[in-house]
Each structure stands twice: as structure tokens, then as C-alpha cells.
Amino acid sequence: MKKKLILILILASFFLSGCENKSVTFSQYRLAEEPEIKKTLGMLSDAILSGDAKGFINCFSSDCPFFHKINQYMSSLKLNDINFNDFSMDIENLTPLGDGIEASVKIKWDATVKDSKKCGSLVRKIYLSRDNDIWKIKDYNFHIYSNPTVVVGRSSLLLSNGEQMANALESQLLLDTQHLQNTGDIILLGTAYDNASILEMEINNLTYIRVTEDYPGRGLGIVQVIPNVEQYRHVIIIQGSTLQDAKDSIGFMTDYLIAEKYMEPGVYIIKDKKIRKAELLELTSLTSFDYNKATETLERAKGIIEYNIKLICDEIALEKDNIISLMKNTSDEHRKDYKETFSYNSCQSSQKPHPISMGLICSYLINKDLCTKAFQLPPKGNADILNSAAMNGEGLNVSSMTALLRLAGLGENQVFSLRKGDGSIVFANIGEGYALDFDSIVFPGVFQHCHLEEAEHMENEGYYIDFKKNLTNMDSEDIMDSINKLHNAFNPEKDILKSKMTRGKFSSDENLHHISLPYNIHDIYVMLQANAPYYQTGNAFNSLKEARESLKEAMGQLLWIKLRKHVISLASKYPGSQYDYSLYSAGLINVKHPEAYAEAARESAPVKKKSSEIGSASKEADDKIRGILSLLSTIKERNKEEDSLLHPDICLETKCGKVIDKALLAYGLYANLFNKAEEAWIAIGDGSSYLVIKDDYGYKYVDCKYNSLSRLPDSTIYLCFNEKYAYNGRLGIGSKPEFLN
């Protein structure tokens, strides 16, 4: 008995010892795979620190979304003169998900950017899985599927199934003739040959397989998860050879996506209500793809799109009519800071009054290119819009990104430009609160727990909170909600935001008006028709993509015109408001005081520098004029029918501009070279734009379209101005200057 008791004690001791060892192991590593994942992240950090482009890209799987952007990241560091002094990635949490692991990683960095020091931290989510026994990154900006758009064929018998899936996923259902989105995540549903969006991908070899009436065959469903198509993260295609197989697959995948919320790229087979990855041999089909059936579906889809373009263009023609008459009602007062509103660099300053900085955001709402770009984003106002926008933010700044998200459907309390101590960032007051950094030196993304030393103010086109002046035009409930979300999105060094509320309420700014934005992309989407009253072949377009691009341009233009009319009306009603300033920030030429543009052109530092270079190389007046013409010839002309001016700084920086932009640049150069600003005019006509100058023999015209000199006046000139005087025949402002009589 005693021996048995001793044996039991020994076994118990051994068992407890084993448990203790397991406990220690668990405390060190949350998952058994953690050491290998740490190794991958360590290799990534070392590659970034050493500038090892090959070592960097080897940490990623080739089917990682946005692989082309990731591949360019290291070269962009060199291009932008970014050098990391320290860079670390520490795992905060690991969660098994599907065939891989979701990692919450805290990134800290210390970098030198063009001789200035930048440091910070943030938490980003990364998805990793095994690739030939090595853990590689399969998604560097990971997030679960968030209400992905569902698309069915226009005449598909799967419409009700698509509606059920969209409702279950709380997403948007669109027809293949309606969807313009090409970013984020999207789900395409179909049988063989009934969804034009799937067919276009199949014809262009963008799918892993082609589904036919015989392949994969009866009783099976096929799911393809495809990364890196256009600007999408994932295109998820759910199909069956028969209608019943497609219906069963859609029902199964609806439940599956609600439960799993993410799938790795690849091909999956659904059979007997179970899903598995397809074997290589299963992806080989001996059946032929019927191009005639595919072409017939595509032609019908293009015909519907062509019909919708006509409807939208008819609406544009109606909306265009009274824009000039609306401009006539704007204020006659010439505010000195109109010039600053237009000035490229001063608008980026954190010191500008809120009507001016908010006017900058508002000006992007009436930018045609941005209105068009908004239709690329998912048509659902949620977090997926943020991820889509973050990965497609090239050429945008924080103000224009804020406007883009407002155009795409985020509410006036949901997205702001946040000015912090070391720059600006987009703050999204949705979900738990997010920071969107599309120009991050640690790769774009949507983050939480970003380092924040100080919040100065946040604003969009309608609302603002000034944390330094304790001033706002928001309601107290909205203020508290925003501040709570700020603390989730950022990681402030101290409770600098909530403490504002405990010391006293924000003062209410009753002088700054706020009017809700009446239009966004959803108001244009609802105008699209599912059918045409007559059959159109869609012969105007070579491809479905080309047809969609034309429809997107038309819808963007309609949204732009509707918003422009709205903003002009508000500018008339509220002089000195952000709406008033936005007209000058946008550079609209049909304003009451274009003199502000001429003054801004003359005072531009880059223009003064170029003038000095021309002046030092040319002593005679004629040589200086030739120097201006030579510089204008380096500006690549943008053939756009827009009635707005680019700031000369942008023209010089990008070497690109419209004819009217070149005329404004020419004025700035001439005014600095000759110090005779009052003797020069910017003149805009239907055929060209000019710098008009006077010499001993009369008036000369610097033709900015042909970069040449002329003595012949242009009878189509309707607008001319300098810093002292303006004439606009269409608005009925001023009288014709001497050179037009």
C-alpha cells in the first residue's frame, strides 16, 4: 500500500511538473507558431533597416493583396529620402484564422525624412500562413470581410439569392451593369455565362478557372478568391454549373462568410455542404468555354450601360443651365484672404482660420476628378471604405481624402482631418475609431493605437473641434462620441482630449454655419436603370471595362455639378463662410473676384524663383518674354473642360496644367520680371487663354495654347483680370478693358 502511495505521489509530481512546464511555455508563446512568426517579422524589420529590398519582398507571399505596392515600398523609401534609424515589430496578439494566423503587431520606428526626424508607433493587423514550411505574410493590411458588395447578373435567376446574401452580410446588392467599384472586397455570383462581371474576368484570364455548363459539374459549387485584380483586395466568385448548384453554393457561402469572415486566395470546392481547397487536378477542364454565349451577355450589359450613360448625360444638361446665374448671386465683397485660400502652401498650414481650412475640404467636394474617384470605392458607408481608400490614396492629401470619404457616403460626424503636432491624418469616427494613414512611411493602412502627442483640431467641410481654443460648432453629444473614438484610434501620451471636457464645456461657435451635404454617390446610383426600353448592342465600347469607365465619368460629373450648385448657393447665403472660401480654394474662374488669383500668382515663391532664373539669363525685354514662352512649353497641357485654375506652384511642381493655368503662371512670371503687374492681364477665351501685355506698339498676346506671340485679339475672350480689375462678360462684372474694344 505504501509503495502504491509513493508511486501515485511520484506520478502526480511528474504530472504537475509537466503542467508547470506547459504553463511556462504558454506564457512565453501564445501559440506554438509564435517563434516562427517572430522570425518572419524580425527578417522584415531587418530588411527595412538595412534597405534590403530582396529580403523585404521574400517575407511576403506572391498572392498577398497589393503585392505590386509592397514590391515598390523599398524603392519609395529611397525616392523620398527616408532612412530608418530604428524599426521594430512586436506581437501583441495571435489568433488562429482559417489556414493561417491573424497577428496584431505593434510597430515602432525612428526615421530621418529629408533631414527631419520622425518617430511613432501604431498597431496594424497582419495575416500570415505557411508557404513551403515558411511563415509568410499573406495580407499586410489585414481586416476581416466587412459588408462586401454583392453583384449578380442583370437577368440572372439568382437575384433573390443575391438579395438574401447581401441582407445577411449587411452589404449592398448591385447588378453587373451598375457596379463601378474596383477597390476593396467584392462578391460576384453566377452560373455559367449569366454575370457580365465574371465573364469579363474569365475572357481576360483573370480567374483561376472558367465555369461552364459542364464544369465543375452537377452537385458541385466553385468558389474563387482572387487577389490583385485592378485595385481590389479580394474578388470572391461563387458559381455553379447549374442553377441549383449556384443557389446551394450561395446559401452555404452566406453562412460560411458570416462565421469565418475571411478566406485565403485560391479555389475551393463545395460538395455536400462542405468546403475544401481544390486539388490541382480538379482545376483542369476538358470542356470548352462558349465565347458566343459570353459575348452575347457582355454585349447586352454594355447596351444597358450605354443607355444609362445617356440618361445621366441628359440629367447633366438640365443641371448645368443655371450655374452662372447662381454665381451672380454670390457676395460682391472682396476679402483679402481669398488670395490665401487659393494659395497652395498656405492652405496646408495649421494656423489658418477654420472657414479657410474647412473651405479647402469643401473645395474638394466640387472637384470633378474626386467626385469620379468616389465611385471606385465600395458603395457602403463602413470601415471597408477606409481600407479601400487607404490603399488607393496616391495623389491625395488629408483634406482631399476627407472629402473623398464624405463623397463615398461617410457621415458628417464620421470622418475628419485631424491636425496633430507633427502633421495631419484622417480620423474615422466609425466602429471603435480608426486612423487612416495613406501616406505613412511604414506603408499605408487603417490603424489603431497610433502615437499622438497632441491634437490641435479636427474638421471636415461642416464641423470642427478646436482643442486648443476649446471652440466648436458641433453638438455636445457628437463631441463626446468623437473624443471617445479618438482615444481608441490613437494612443495619446496623456489624457489630453477628455481632460478638455472635465475643465469645462467647449464654447459654441454660432458664427460658422453648418449645412448637411445633400448628395453623395448613393444619390447617383439610384438613378441607374436595370433595363433599357429598347435593345442596344453596346457597340460604342470595346469592352465592359471601357463602358464602365464612361459611366463612372458621367456619374462623377453629375455628382460634381449637383454639389457645385449646392455649395455656390450656400456661398451666396453665407458670405465669409467655408462655402464662400471654397469657391476660391477650388480656383473657380467665374467668381466675383478673380483678382485674388492674380495676386497669389505674383506672390508665389516658386514663381519668383523661376522669374529670377529667367531674368538672370535674359536682360532684354524680348528675351525675357521668350524665356516665359520657353518655360510654358515645358508644361504638359491637360485637355480638360474645367472652369477652374490650378495654383502656379502646382503647375511648376507637376509640369502639367490646362491652358488657363499656363496663362495664370505666365502672369506671375511677367509681374515679377517687369514689376508692371497693372499693365498685364490674364485673358480667357473659348479657344485659348492669354497673357496680355502692352508695349510701345500696342497690345501683345502670349498665346498659352500655342506658346507663341500674337498681335491679333481673340473675339471669344469673355474673362480678363489682373490684381486691380476684373471683367467677366458672362457674370456681367466690370467693363471691357481697352484691348477688347
Side-chain angles (χ1 to χ4, degrees):
M1 181 70 181
K2 191 173 182 181
K3 288 182 179 179
K4 286 183 179 180
L5 184 59
I6 292 171
L7 181 60
I8 290 170
L9 289 171
I10 291 170
L11 289 171
S13 174
F14 180 80
F15 177 76
L16 290 172
S17 174
C19 287
E20 185 180 351
N21 287 336
K22 286 183 180 179
S23 175
V24 170
T25 302
F26 183 77
S27 66
Q28 288 177 340
Y29 301 118
R30 282 147 286 203
L31 294 174
E33 298 86 354
E34 183 166 348
E36 295 176 77
I37 291 174
K38 274 187 173 181
K39 183 179 178 182
T40 298
L41 297 179
M43 290 167 58
L44 185 67
S45 299
D46 291 342
I48 290 173
L49 276 170
S50 63
D52 180 5
K54 186 176 180 181
F56 175 81
I57 204 64
N58 282 341
C59 296
F60 293 86
S61 171
S62 60
D63 58 5
C64 180
F66 309 106
F67 187 77
H68 62 291
K69 289 181 183 288
I70 292 167
N71 203 13
Q72 296 167 358
Y73 174 67
M74 295 300 286
S75 59
S76 72
L77 294 180
K78 289 183 180 179
L79 187 66
N80 294 297
D81 197 15
I82 299 171
N83 295 288
F84 285 99
N85 309 311
D86 190 22
F87 190 95
S88 64
M89 304 179 77
D90 297 318
I91 297 171
E92 289 201 337
N93 190 43
L94 295 175
T95 306
L97 184 64
D99 295 328
I101 289 175
E102 174 192 344
S104 291
V105 178
K106 184 162 189 175
I107 301 174
K108 294 181 181 179
W109 70 90
D110 183 313
T112 304
V113 183
K114 295 179 181 177
D115 298 326
S116 64
K117 193 171 182 180
K118 281 198 173 185
C119 59
S121 64
L122 54 83
V123 174
R124 88 179 305 145
K125 291 186 177 180
I126 298 172
Y127 182 81
L128 305 96
S129 69
R130 285 191 183 277
D131 189 341
N132 294 326
D133 294 327
I134 299 172
W135 283 89
K136 289 198 172 186
I137 297 170
K138 284 223 169 184
D139 198 332
Y140 197 46
N141 190 34
F142 176 76
H143 55 94
I144 60 173
Y145 296 133
S146 175
N147 321 108
T149 306
V150 178
V151 178
V152 298
R154 178 188 63 86
S155 56
S156 175
L157 297 175
L158 298 171
L159 183 60
S160 62
N161 304 87
E163 287 177 344
Q164 291 170 14
M165 173 176 258
N167 290 335
L169 299 178
E170 298 181 1
S171 61
Q172 188 96 7
L173 177 71
L174 291 175
L175 302 180
D176 55 357
T177 54
Q178 295 174 333
H179 98 269
L180 301 174
Q181 173 189 343
N182 67 354
T183 63
D185 299 313
I186 196 165
I187 300 174
L188 309 180
L189 308 178
T191 57
Y193 314 114
D194 76 339
N195 187 323
S197 297
I198 298 175
L199 289 170
E200 186 177 46
M201 288 182 63
E202 289 177 328
I203 285 175
N204 288 291
N205 297 315
L206 295 175
T207 57
Y208 294 123
I209 58 168
R210 291 173 178 168
V211 170
T212 69
E213 289 149 335
D214 301 311
Y215 176 79
R218 189 175 296 275
L220 298 175
I222 283 279
V223 180
Q224 301 178 71
V225 182
I226 309 171
N228 297 315
V229 176
E230 296 190 54
Q231 285 85 48
Y232 290 112
R233 181 178 71 149
H234 284 168
V235 176
I236 304 170
I237 303 177
I238 304 171
Q239 290 175 282
S241 292
T242 70
L243 179 63
Q244 190 58 51
D245 289 331
K247 287 183 175 182
D248 292 343
S249 298
I250 293 167
F252 174 85
M253 287 304 300
T254 299
D255 295 334
Y256 185 84
L257 290 173
I258 290 172
E260 298 298 326
K261 301 185 184 301
Y262 183 77
M263 297 178 74
E264 282 193 26
V267 182
Y268 299 80
I269 300 285
I270 300 173
K271 184 178 181 180
D272 298 331
K273 296 185 178 180
K274 292 181 181 179
I275 189 169
R276 60 174 174 80
K277 274 204 169 180
E279 300 292 338
L280 187 60
L281 289 175
E282 293 177 297
L283 304 182
T284 304
S285 171
L286 298 177
T287 60
S288 59
F289 186 76
D290 193 328
Y291 281 91
N292 290 330
K293 287 184 178 179
T295 301
E296 184 179 352
T297 301
L298 287 167
E299 286 301 313
R300 286 178 177 171
K302 287 191 289 182
I304 297 294
I305 292 174
E306 193 173 333
Y307 174 70
N308 275 313
I309 291 171
K310 182 181 181 302
L311 290 180
I312 296 294
C313 288
D314 289 345
E315 189 70 20
I316 289 170
L318 292 173
E319 291 280 355
K320 262 185 175 180
D321 285 345
N322 61 345
I323 285 183
I324 291 295
S325 61
L326 286 172
M327 290 298 297
K328 289 180 180 179
N329 295 326
T330 55
S331 173
D332 291 325
E333 183 180 354
H334 186 184
R335 299 175 183 273
K336 291 183 178 179
D337 44 11
Y338 282 155
K339 170 191 67 178
E340 296 179 25
T341 304
F342 178 62
S343 291
Y344 177 55
N345 291 318
S346 66
C347 276
Q348 313 301 321
S349 170
S350 63
Q351 305 302 318
K352 290 298 154 193
H354 291 292
I356 292 181
S357 54
M358 293 167 71
L360 176 63
I361 298 172
C362 190
S363 72
Y364 286 115
L365 296 175
I366 54 175
N367 178 286
K368 185 160 61 172
D369 289 341
L370 204 68
C371 286
T372 302
K373 188 179 180 70
F375 287 95
Q376 295 178 235
L377 300 180
K380 183 82 175 174
N382 59 19
D384 194 35
I385 287 184
L386 301 180
N387 290 289
S388 300
M391 300 309 296
N392 295 279
E394 293 92 344
L396 301 185
N397 56 41
V398 170
S399 296
S400 56
M401 178 61 81
T402 302
L404 177 68
L405 293 168
R406 290 284 287 119
L407 291 168
L410 290 190
E412 56 198 2
N413 297 325
Q414 291 184 310
V415 60
F416 299 89
S417 295
L418 175 69
R419 182 74 192 185
K420 52 195 183 79
D422 59 349
S424 296
I425 197 168
V426 175
F427 162 59
N429 181 25
I430 56 178
E432 298 175 350
Y434 300 95
L436 188 155
D437 194 350
F438 55 95
D439 194 28
S440 173
I441 63 173
V442 293
F443 200 74
V446 178
F447 308 117
Q448 290 184 314
H449 309 299
C450 292
H451 177 74
L452 178 67
E453 290 184 5
E454 183 178 19
E456 295 178 7
H457 62 252
M458 67 183 209
E459 60 198 1
N460 54 33
E461 87 289 348
Y463 282 137
Y464 81 90
I465 303 177
D466 192 319
F467 296 109
K468 286 196 166 185
K469 296 180 180 178
N470 241 31
L471 194 64
T472 185
N473 68 338
M474 290 178 70
D475 296 331
S476 57
E477 289 183 7
D478 294 329
I479 296 170
M480 280 305 300
D481 181 58
S482 297
I483 288 175
N484 288 331
K485 298 287 179 63
L486 267 173
H487 272 267
N488 289 332
F490 297 92
N491 187 24
E493 293 184 348
K494 54 184 178 179
D495 194 17
I496 55 175
L497 303 177
K498 290 181 181 177
S499 62
K500 292 278 186 183
M501 298 302 295
T502 58
R503 286 201 300 268
K505 292 183 178 180
F506 280 78
S507 299
S508 178
D509 183 355
E510 297 179 357
N511 295 319
L512 192 58
H513 296 277
H514 157 257
I515 307 295
S516 296
L517 193 68
Y519 307 109
N520 57 41
I521 61 173
H522 304 108
D523 299 286
I524 311 300
Y525 265 117
V526 297
M527 301 174 67
L528 298 180
Q529 300 296 307
N531 296 291
Y534 52 88
Y535 179 71
Q536 288 187 224
T537 61
N539 287 331
F541 305 105
N542 294 319
S543 67
L544 187 64
K545 182 178 180 180
E546 184 183 327
R548 282 201 181 114
E549 284 297 314
S550 295
L551 178 59
K552 183 176 70 177
E553 289 287 335
M555 292 171 73
Q557 186 174 2
L558 180 57
L559 178 60
W560 167 65
I561 290 172
K562 282 180 172 290
L563 284 171
R564 178 178 283 203
K565 289 172 65 175
H566 171 70
V567 170
I568 292 171
S569 297
L570 293 177
S572 302
K573 191 174 182 180
Y574 304 112
S577 68
Q578 65 270 38
Y579 310 109
D580 183 19
Y581 283 112
S582 73
L583 306 183
Y584 291 86
S585 184
L588 300 188
I589 58 175
N590 286 309
V591 290
K592 292 287 184 69
H593 297 288
E595 308 97 294
Y597 305 142
E599 192 175 355
R602 178 179 56 80
E603 293 183 358
S604 159
V607 169
K608 287 182 177 181
K609 183 180 178 182
K610 283 293 179 185
S611 300
S612 178
E613 291 173 4
I614 294 171
S616 62
S618 311
K619 301 302 180 185
E620 299 297 325
D622 288 347
D623 292 334
K624 291 177 181 179
I625 296 298
R626 279 191 284 271
I628 292 175
L629 289 170
S630 177
L631 178 61
L632 293 180
S633 67
T634 67
I635 305 296
K636 184 179 179 181
E637 189 176 324
R638 298 195 310 168
N639 295 316
K640 288 197 171 186
E641 298 178 4
E642 286 185 26
D643 56 348
S644 59
L645 286 160
L646 275 180
H647 195 281
D649 289 10
I650 303 176
C651 254
L652 289 172
E653 182 181 316
T654 63
K655 293 194 177 298
C656 186
K658 304 182 295 298
V659 175
I660 57 175
D661 305 325
K662 292 167 67 176
L664 183 62
L665 171 60
Y667 173 87
L669 294 168
Y670 181 88
N672 280 285
L673 277 166
F674 293 92
N675 293 317
K676 294 180 179 179
E678 69 282 355
E679 295 183 6
W681 295 75
I682 298 129
I684 297 172
D686 293 330
S688 187
S689 295
Y690 308 86
L691 167 66
V692 182
I693 53 180
K694 189 176 183 180
D695 62 13
D696 295 337
Y697 303 99
Y699 289 98
K700 288 195 294 189
Y701 297 80
V702 175
D703 189 329
C704 295
K705 183 173 184 178
Y706 299 104
N707 305 316
S708 61
L709 274 173
S710 172
R711 292 279 181 185
L712 298 174
D714 183 344
S715 60
T716 68
I717 290 174
Y718 64 90
L719 169 65
C720 43
F721 61 93
N722 56 25
E723 295 174 50
K724 301 293 184 182
Y725 191 82
Y727 161 74
N728 189 321
R730 294 178 180 176
L731 289 183
I733 296 172
S735 55
K736 287 185 178 182
E738 183 183 24
F739 63 85
L740 288 183
N741 291 318

